[in-house]
Amino acid sequence: MRISPHDHPSYKFPSPEDFLGRLAEALPSFGAIDWVSSTGSTNADLSLRAQLSRAQQPTPPRPWLLGAHLQTAGKGRAGRPWANEAGSTLMFSCAFATDIPLAQLPGIAPALGVSTCLALRSLFAPQGNQTDISPLTPLNLKWPNDLQWHGAKLAGLLIETAPSSTVVVGMGLNLRGAAALSAQLGREIADLGQIEQACNRSLHPAQLVAHIAQTWQQALQDYATNGYTAFTHSFDIVDALAGQSVQVMDQGKILHQGIAQGTDPLGRLRVMTETGLVPVLVGDVSIRPAHPFKGTP
């Protein structure tokens, strides 16, 4: 069995200087690129930079990228802390200038989730045969913005708005240690090493970051022009919840339960409940055991 380089005893995680040099070369259109050993939250740091920009402090043009080997105050959806360890998780954020109307902002999360999932699929497609992604079909998106590998969480995105018409997009991607983390959290966790083994391919972490950052930049441009409808078909390709019996919860309360049926033109999750089709804008979605109610297409 092929061993992922991230799990090899001799593997050394690239230094912040290595990240910075590779990213500066790969992302010439980015106005600022930084990679640090440790910070509280890359999302929070970029939001603060945007706030200073609004106060007319001298700042470089967006987009900006900030990564960190360790985030001491990293967070996921609903403000939950993101478990991370230097070298085991790839953590970075980008800030983009946008003029997307406020009413369309909710659809950005699934749009970026779709784009990120497809970007990773393309990166790890077998060399010389980019059209054959059969080994990567288990890499899917759980609405709105969690990436999964064989149903286990691989990565999460956090999208936030900031001053000066800025959207900040953050990502935490598990590189290694899924087995230990699964035991610690009591639920299945995936890591990039598992994908590398399945596809017999490994990439430098900076290459992943650069490709994903460019993907986000293009996705936001497409979203600003065409809205979420530009991503509906792609969502169906990577939808991990399609046809599943699900529960939608918020703050411990069940809001809806039924059959997941993709997304609507605004990026909301469609759930066929016993009383009809319900569009879901917020909430944690979990797959639940089969229920007598099957819904209708």
Side-chain angles (χ1 to χ4, degrees):
M1 180 179 69
R2 183 179 184 273
I3 301 298
S4 166
H6 300 115
D7 292 322
H8 196 280
S10 64
Y11 175 74
K12 184 178 181 182
F13 195 62
S15 67
E17 293 76 19
D18 188 11
F19 269 98
L20 185 58
R22 289 173 179 265
L23 292 172
E25 182 178 354
L27 300 171
S29 68
F30 276 55
I33 298 174
D34 297 291
W35 202 282
V36 298
S37 297
S38 177
T39 191
S41 162
T42 53
N43 262 40
D45 290 348
L46 290 184
S47 294
L48 177 59
R49 183 178 294 181
Q51 184 176 347
L52 294 175
S53 175
R54 185 177 64 174
Q56 296 183 339
Q57 297 291 329
T59 54
R62 290 157 291 177
W64 308 323
L65 185 150
L66 174 62
H69 275 27
L70 179 66
Q71 291 195 44
T72 58
K75 58 184 179 178
R77 293 187 65 226
R80 288 187 290 267
W82 176 269
N84 68 85
E85 178 183 336
S88 66
T89 310
L90 194 60
M91 297 167 288
F92 65 99
S93 302
C94 293
F96 300 94
T98 180
D99 56 359
I100 297 171
L102 184 63
Q104 294 183 15
L105 288 178
I108 291 178
L112 289 173
V114 166
S115 301
T116 306
C117 187
L118 291 177
L120 285 176
R121 282 189 177 190
S122 69
L123 276 174
F124 284 96
Q127 287 179 297
N129 189 5
Q130 293 289 309
T131 60
D132 178 18
I133 63 163
S134 53
L136 289 155
T137 52
L139 177 57
N140 291 312
L141 174 70
K142 177 186 173 186
W143 183 93
N145 50 13
D146 281 348
L147 301 186
Q148 295 185 333
W149 174 250
H150 286 286
K153 185 168 181 177
L154 171 71
L157 303 182
L158 179 63
I159 295 95
E160 300 178 299
T161 57
S164 301
S165 300
T166 301
V167 170
V168 179
V169 187
M171 182 177 188
L173 171 67
N174 299 321
L175 294 176
R176 60 181 178 86
L181 196 55
S182 297
Q184 176 186 340
L185 299 177
R187 56 188 173 88
E188 287 299 314
I189 300 296
D191 63 36
L192 196 70
Q194 296 166 339
I195 297 178
E196 291 175 333
Q197 291 180 26
C199 300
N200 195 31
R201 189 173 189 192
S202 61
L203 300 170
H204 192 284
Q207 186 178 352
L208 290 171
V209 173
H211 187 66
I212 292 170
Q214 290 170 327
T215 295
W216 290 347
Q217 185 179 24
Q218 183 61 55
L220 286 172
Q221 291 173 1
D222 293 343
Y223 192 95
T225 302
N226 301 304
Y228 180 76
T229 55
F231 300 87
T232 305
H233 175 67
S234 296
F235 182 91
D236 293 339
I237 295 173
V238 299
D239 185 5
L241 298 176
Q244 298 277 4
S245 181
V246 300
Q247 286 182 333
V248 182
M249 304 187 68
D250 187 32
Q251 298 182 353
K253 297 181 179 179
I254 298 176
L255 301 180
H256 311 286
Q257 54 186 19
I259 308 300
Q261 296 189 348
T263 51
D264 70 6
L266 297 179
R268 299 176 296 187
L269 179 68
R270 292 158 33 108
V271 178
M272 179 59 73
T273 71
E274 293 180 335
T275 58
L277 192 62
V278 175
V280 175
L281 182 60
V282 295
D284 292 323
V285 180
S286 62
I287 297 175
R288 63 192 179 96
H291 188 276
F293 170 66
K294 298 298 183 181
T296 57

